[in-house]
Amino acid sequence: MATSSLKRAIERTGYYPEVVFDGVATALAGEEIVDFHVHHEPTIEHDEVRRHITVVVLTPSRLILAHTDEHGGDDLLPQPYTSTSTEAIALSGVKSVVVTRMVTNPDRGAQPAAEAVLTIGWGGVGRIDLEPAGCNDPNCDADHGYTGVLASDDFSLRVSAAAEGQDEVDRLLAFAASLSAHTQG
């Protein structure tokens, strides 16, 4: 049931559905689908519009990320082509699920989010923000080394009601809730 729903969601994008689904299905390796989110977006490359699709799938034990991009021909592949990259992360390895909701006119009370951002961290990609360390003595000219923050920022997905529709924002928030529930522990 979930597999056919995922396939229909990919087909609705009209973006090489057989290629995209094949990449996702291979990464799933027959594992059951708990939940998923499909995000199709155009990107601008030089003077051309190219398409990109991200498929995020939650299974009982893993988080699957699949990205498919289209490319114009190049020196190695002279004809236009797609590239699909998949990554499988054990749910036990997910360190953070950050959900940011942007709500307009908050003085009117609770209402649907106009935009949502889902950021997932598992330690695959880290970012270090460093700055010179100092002390409280304004006359001190000693080298205090550096201070900084190590942040895990492996995957982010932003959805806007203005661009993708309210249903897509709600769907991303539902997926984020499902992922959060499955990474407790």
Side-chain angles (χ1 to χ4, degrees):
M1 176 82 155
T3 302
S4 59
S5 295
L6 173 60
K7 191 170 190 176
R8 281 193 305 277
I10 291 170
E11 287 171 349
R12 273 194 300 275
T13 70
Y15 177 70
Y16 307 114
E18 296 87 8
V19 172
V20 173
F21 185 75
D22 183 57
V24 173
T26 300
L28 283 168
E31 195 170 8
E32 171 191 348
I33 296 172
V34 173
D35 205 349
F36 64 86
H37 185 77
V38 176
H39 186 249
H40 179 227
E41 64 182 314
T43 58
I44 297 173
E45 181 182 293
H46 305 293
D47 60 345
E48 295 182 59
V49 176
R50 300 243 183 254
R51 297 176 293 170
H52 172 85
I53 190 168
T54 300
V55 180
V56 188
V57 182
L58 176 63
T59 75
S61 66
R62 299 179 300 151
L63 176 67
I64 307 292
L65 302 173
H67 301 279
T68 301
D69 291 290
E70 71 179 343
H71 308 275
D74 56 30
D75 292 341
L76 296 175
L77 295 170
Q79 297 167 338
Y81 63 96
T82 62
S83 62
T84 300
S85 300
T86 59
E87 184 169 5
I89 301 98
L91 288 180
S92 61
V94 174
K95 294 181 172 79
S96 66
V97 177
V98 180
V99 180
T100 305
R101 303 164 188 254
M102 283 66 90
V103 176
T104 59
N105 301 312
D107 55 332
R108 295 183 185 165
Q111 52 193 311
E115 291 188 10
V117 179
L118 170 62
T119 302
I120 306 167
W122 58 88
V125 176
R127 181 183 74 242
I128 299 176
D129 295 322
L130 294 176
E131 61 183 44
C135 67
N136 294 330
D137 181 356
N139 296 319
C140 179
D141 60 359
D143 182 356
H144 295 284
Y146 289 88
T147 186
V149 175
L150 174 61
S152 177
D153 192 16
D154 295 301
F155 174 77
S156 287
L157 184 60
R158 181 178 180 176
V159 178
S160 165
E164 289 94 11
Q166 188 63 51
D167 287 347
E168 286 301 306
V169 174
D170 296 343
R171 181 75 193 106
L172 181 64
L173 291 171
F175 178 82
S178 184
L179 178 61
S180 289
H182 283 82
T183 56
Q184 294 179 19

